[in-house]
């Protein structure tokens, strides 16, 4: 629902009342469910656990634990009793936090979350290491406690986006690495066959040759440590040795390695954008989506048209859905009933006042309560122009200076086109009025000619006779009407002439501007 208040104080009062009613309704719903006391307790625990305050405390404790581990390694103290006690305190805190999280999100929400499983693994290893310090292999498990700091990625959304983007880009980067590994393996086999006799250490076996070629690929001492010792004591450059290693470093070190980096950057950027869109869509689904302009969901759908014919067909289909297949007119009540059949994600909330304002969009629909599909089409086309202007303004806020200037020019052009269309409509209306006046003047002239012969017939009834009205009075009355119509006709002619002169002046100015 979309509620509109008269002033901010009324809106705030409504909001507080709605929130209070929502809490009461939620509490009653939880009480009706099976195991109501446990469900209510879990709901409250989840609200507390997901609050920013609790999440901030957990992040601080994780960073403090990591800092304590760094101090322990750096100082290399002989007496670690204080640090051991601090480590035990951190383990207890993390155990309590994990238990609280499991209770609040039990069952599916907890075990189907990868970060929760990672937390469970790290905390379990810490508990085992603290409970069984003398068991063989536990010292190795204690190393996992260092990974506690990775839990920050789950707490901070910005870090979580980066980790998810890196994870999503692993497969495309792995494909590029496979190509690089294949080329390196081919060169390693060739190096074993060609240079085994010259350097048994570097190229005696495939494994050592593969590592040596990887060293060449990274550029770490490939010339001084790998290639130049193969020239012998004389140091004379061996042509095919140089050709072999230079070709590999060009292909593997410069080309394929940069391809891997390019793929990583491209996939990383795509994954970050996708993750941001996913988070935005998730936030939209959690909040009530409302629009300042009530027809924006409809206009956004229509803005994806391909041709003018396609646009008009879509408008006609929407009109049929709103009005009903059998109805030829659309009213406010029909619009409210039909808007739910459109099945848009966002809500189209329109009031009676909004409908009346919408009817004022065109002169033909002003004051009407029901409109035809042609009039509906004119209204939607006018609203579509305003929608395009609003979307351009939104893009202009985030654009750079050059793009913003281009958008501003497009908006100005749209305004000029609208003025031209309005002037054209006004000229057409004046022409229609002039034709109507000309017909009326011709009718008056016809009646005037009939008066000259002595009578005027109106619907089978004599309107002029010698007993009721004199011929001179009738002539004066008709002549007065003719004069009034002629004056109105001349006024419309002068108005049309002024508009045509204005159009000619605008065309002259445009020609001078183009020149």
């Amino acid at each position: 629902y979309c509620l509109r208040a008269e002033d901010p104080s009324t809106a705030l009062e409504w909001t507080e009342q709605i929130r209070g009613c929502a809490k009461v309704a939620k509490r009653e719903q939880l009480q009706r469910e099976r195991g109501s006391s446990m469900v209510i307790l879990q709901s409250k625990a989840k609200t507390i656990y997901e609050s920013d305050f609790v999440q901030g405390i957990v992040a601080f404790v994780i960073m403090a634990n990591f800092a304590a581990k760094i101090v322990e390694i750096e100082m290399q103290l002989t007496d670690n009793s204080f640090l051991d006690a601090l480590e035990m305190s951190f383990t207890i805190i993390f155990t309590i936090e994990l238990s609280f999280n499991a209770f609040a999100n039990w069952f599916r929400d907890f075990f189907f979350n990868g970060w929760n499983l990672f937390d469970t693994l790290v905390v379990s290893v810490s508990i085992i290491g603290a409970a069984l310090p003398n068991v063989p292999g536990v010292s190795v498990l204690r190393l996992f406690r260092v990974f506690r700091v990775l839990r920050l990625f789950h707490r901070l959304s910005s870090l979580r986006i980066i980790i998810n983007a890196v994870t999503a880009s692993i497969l495309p980067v792995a494909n590029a690495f496979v190509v690089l590994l294949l080329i390196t393996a081919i060169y390693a086999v060739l190096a074993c066959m060609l240079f085994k006799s010259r350097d048994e250490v570097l190229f005696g076996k495939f494994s050592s040759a593969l590592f040596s070629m990887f060293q060449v690929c990274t550029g770490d001492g490939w010339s001084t440590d790998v290639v130049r010792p193969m020239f012998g004591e004389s140091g004379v450059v061996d042509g095919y040795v140089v050709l072999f290693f230079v070709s590999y470093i060009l292909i593997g070190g410069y080309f394929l390695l940069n391809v891997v980096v390019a793929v990583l950057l491209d996939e990383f950027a795509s994954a970050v954008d996708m993750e941001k869109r996913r988070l935005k869509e998730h936030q939209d689904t959690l909040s009530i989506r409302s629009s300042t302009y009530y027809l924006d969901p409809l206009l956004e759908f229509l803005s994806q048209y391909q041709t003018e014919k396609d646009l008009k067909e879509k408008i006609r289909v929407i009109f049929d859905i709103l009005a009903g297949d059998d109805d030829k007119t659309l009213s406010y009540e029909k619009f409210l009933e039909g808007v739910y059949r459109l099945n848009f994600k966002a809500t189209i909330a329109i009031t009676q006042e909004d409908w009346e304002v919408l009817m004022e969009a065109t002169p033909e629909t002003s004051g009407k309560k029901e409109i035809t599909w042609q009039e509906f089409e004119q209204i939607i086309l006018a609203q579509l122009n305003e929608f395009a202007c609003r979307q351009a303004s939104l893009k202009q806020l985030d654009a750079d200076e050059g793009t913003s200037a281009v958008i501003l020019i497009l908006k100005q052009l749209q305004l000029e086109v609208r003025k031209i269309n309005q002037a054209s409509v006004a000229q057409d209306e004046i022409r229609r009025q002039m034709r109507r006046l000309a017909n009326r003047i011709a009718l008056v002239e016809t009646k005037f000619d009939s008066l000259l012969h002595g009578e005027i017939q109106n619907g089978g009834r004599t309107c002029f006779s010698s007993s009721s009205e004199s011929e001179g009075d009738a002539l004066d009355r008709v002549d007065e009407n003719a004069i009034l119509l002629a004056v109105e006709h001349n006024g419309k002619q002068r108005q049309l002439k002024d508009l045509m002169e204005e159009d000619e002046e605008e065309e002259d100015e445009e020609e001078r501007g183009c020149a």
Side-chain angles (χ1 to χ4, degrees):
Y1 297 93
C2 181
L3 306 178
R4 298 188 181 182
E6 296 180 354
D7 51 68
S9 60
T10 305
L12 182 61
E13 181 181 356
W14 289 1
T15 303
E16 294 299 330
Q17 293 178 358
I18 291 173
R19 286 177 178 173
C21 295
K23 289 182 180 179
V24 174
K26 187 175 182 179
R27 190 180 302 112
E28 291 178 353
Q29 180 184 1
L30 292 175
Q31 290 176 353
R32 288 193 300 266
E33 294 180 358
R34 187 176 180 180
S36 59
S37 58
M38 183 63 68
V39 173
I40 293 174
L41 193 58
Q42 282 184 332
S43 177
K44 292 182 178 180
K46 186 174 183 179
T47 303
I48 295 173
Y49 180 76
E50 293 180 352
S51 63
D52 295 337
F53 178 74
V54 173
Q55 293 298 314
I57 292 178
V58 174
F60 175 77
V61 173
I62 292 173
M63 288 299 300
N65 179 33
F66 189 65
K69 181 61 63 177
I70 292 175
V71 171
E72 178 184 355
I73 296 174
E74 178 67 24
M75 299 182 66
Q76 296 182 359
L77 299 176
T78 56
D79 185 10
N80 295 330
S81 58
F82 173 75
L83 294 177
D84 291 341
L86 190 62
E87 178 66 27
M88 180 62 66
S89 302
F90 284 130
T91 302
I92 294 173
I93 292 174
F94 290 139
T95 304
I96 295 174
E97 181 264 338
L98 182 64
S99 302
F100 195 81
N101 182 16
F103 173 76
N105 296 282
W106 192 267
F107 168 80
R108 181 181 179 84
D109 292 341
F110 181 81
F111 285 101
F112 281 79
N113 189 309
W115 290 104
N116 290 336
L117 296 179
F118 177 77
D119 292 349
T120 304
L121 175 63
V122 173
V123 173
S124 300
V125 169
S126 300
I127 294 174
I128 294 174
L132 305 172
N134 299 322
V135 176
V138 172
S139 58
V140 178
L141 293 178
R142 288 179 180 177
L143 296 177
F144 282 93
R145 294 182 297 181
V146 180
F147 293 102
R148 286 176 180 171
V149 71
L150 295 180
R151 300 175 64 197
L152 281 176
F153 296 149
H154 176 52
R155 313 296 171 186
L156 303 178
S157 60
S158 57
L159 296 179
R160 186 171 63 250
I161 290 175
I162 295 176
I163 293 299
N164 292 339
V166 171
T167 305
S169 59
I170 287 178
L171 184 59
V173 173
N175 294 332
F177 264 121
V178 168
V179 177
L180 177 61
L181 179 61
L182 182 61
I183 297 298
T184 304
I186 292 174
Y187 269 86
V189 172
L190 294 176
C192 289
M193 298 172 61
L194 296 175
F195 308 125
K196 181 178 180 180
S197 59
R198 298 194 179 191
D199 196 328
E200 186 73 21
V201 176
L202 296 180
F203 303 106
K205 297 186 297 183
F206 173 77
S207 57
S208 58
L210 184 63
F211 181 78
S212 299
M213 297 309 298
F214 179 75
Q215 179 183 354
V216 174
C217 179
T218 59
D220 181 23
W222 71 277
S223 177
T224 56
D225 298 338
V226 179
V227 179
R228 289 192 179 276
M230 298 177 63
F231 293 160
E233 296 179 357
S234 61
V236 179
V237 176
D238 194 335
Y240 77 92
V241 173
V242 172
L243 179 62
F244 178 85
F245 286 99
V246 169
S247 64
Y248 172 72
I249 200 170
L250 288 176
I251 297 174
Y254 291 128
F255 180 71
L256 291 179
L257 199 59
N258 288 328
V259 167
V260 172
V261 175
V263 171
L264 175 62
L265 292 177
D266 182 64
E267 293 296 329
F268 181 80
S270 301
V272 169
D273 292 339
M274 186 180 300
E275 184 69 16
K276 288 182 178 180
R277 287 196 300 269
R278 189 188 64 80
L279 291 176
K280 184 177 182 302
E281 292 175 357
H282 179 66
Q283 293 174 357
D284 290 339
T285 55
L286 294 179
S287 61
I288 299 176
R289 300 186 61 187
S290 60
S291 177
T292 305
Y293 301 94
Y294 38 86
L295 290 181
D296 274 4
L298 174 61
L299 298 175
E300 183 178 0
F301 168 74
L302 292 175
S303 63
Q304 301 173 4
Y305 67 91
Q306 310 252 338
T307 60
E308 182 180 1
K309 181 180 178 182
D310 179 39
L311 174 61
K312 292 185 176 181
E313 288 178 353
K314 288 182 178 180
I315 295 176
R316 182 56 189 269
V317 171
I318 290 176
F319 178 84
D320 293 338
I321 294 175
L322 293 174
D325 296 335
D326 299 333
D327 294 334
K328 297 182 179 180
T329 58
L330 177 64
S331 62
Y332 173 67
E333 292 75 13
K334 294 179 182 178
F335 186 90
L336 288 182
E337 294 177 0
V339 74
Y340 295 101
R341 293 193 291 267
L342 293 177
N343 219 3
F344 289 134
K345 291 183 179 179
T347 304
I348 300 178
I350 182 172
T351 62
Q352 181 69 41
E353 292 79 8
D354 296 332
W355 178 265
E356 293 174 358
V357 172
L358 192 63
M359 292 300 101
E360 300 294 332
T362 59
E364 293 81 2
T365 59
S366 179
K368 286 188 175 182
K369 294 184 177 180
E370 293 188 354
I371 56 176
T372 62
W373 80 268
Q374 293 89 346
E375 294 170 341
F376 178 76
E377 179 182 284
Q378 295 300 321
I379 292 175
I380 293 299
L381 291 177
Q383 293 295 320
L384 199 58
N385 287 331
E386 297 181 2
F387 175 76
C389 188
R390 291 196 299 271
Q391 294 299 314
S393 299
L394 292 176
K395 294 296 182 182
Q396 190 176 6
L397 294 176
D398 301 330
D400 53 14
E401 294 182 359
T403 307
S404 178
V406 173
I407 294 175
L408 178 60
I409 293 173
L410 292 176
K411 290 166 63 178
Q412 292 297 115
L413 289 175
Q414 186 183 23
L415 293 177
E416 294 299 327
V417 170
R418 186 178 301 178
K419 290 180 181 178
I420 294 173
N421 292 334
Q422 291 175 353
S424 176
V425 172
Q427 290 181 8
D428 293 339
E429 181 64 23
I430 292 174
R431 292 189 182 97
R432 285 196 296 269
Q433 293 181 7
M434 288 182 61
R435 287 194 296 268
R436 192 181 303 112
L437 288 172
N439 294 333
R440 293 173 64 185
I441 291 173
L443 179 61
V444 171
E445 290 176 351
T446 303
K447 292 182 178 181
F448 185 79
D449 292 338
S450 300
L451 284 174
L452 294 179
H453 294 85
E455 64 179 6
I456 300 176
Q457 298 293 333
N458 184 5
R461 195 167 45 83
T462 303
C463 296
F464 166 74
S465 62
S466 59
S467 61
S468 63
E469 185 178 25
S470 64
E471 181 178 357
D473 293 337
L475 289 174
D476 292 338
R477 176 169 54 80
V478 176
D479 187 52
E480 182 180 356
N481 292 333
I483 290 172
L484 292 176
L485 290 174
V487 170
E488 185 179 359
H489 177 69
N490 292 333
K492 296 296 182 180
Q493 280 187 329
R494 285 194 298 271
Q495 187 177 0
L496 179 59
K497 183 178 180 182
D498 293 340
L499 287 174
M500 294 177 65
E501 290 178 355
E502 291 178 1
D503 291 342
E504 292 178 356
E505 291 178 358
E506 292 179 357
E507 291 178 357
D508 294 339
E509 290 179 359
E510 291 178 357
E511 291 179 357
R512 288 194 296 271
C514 292

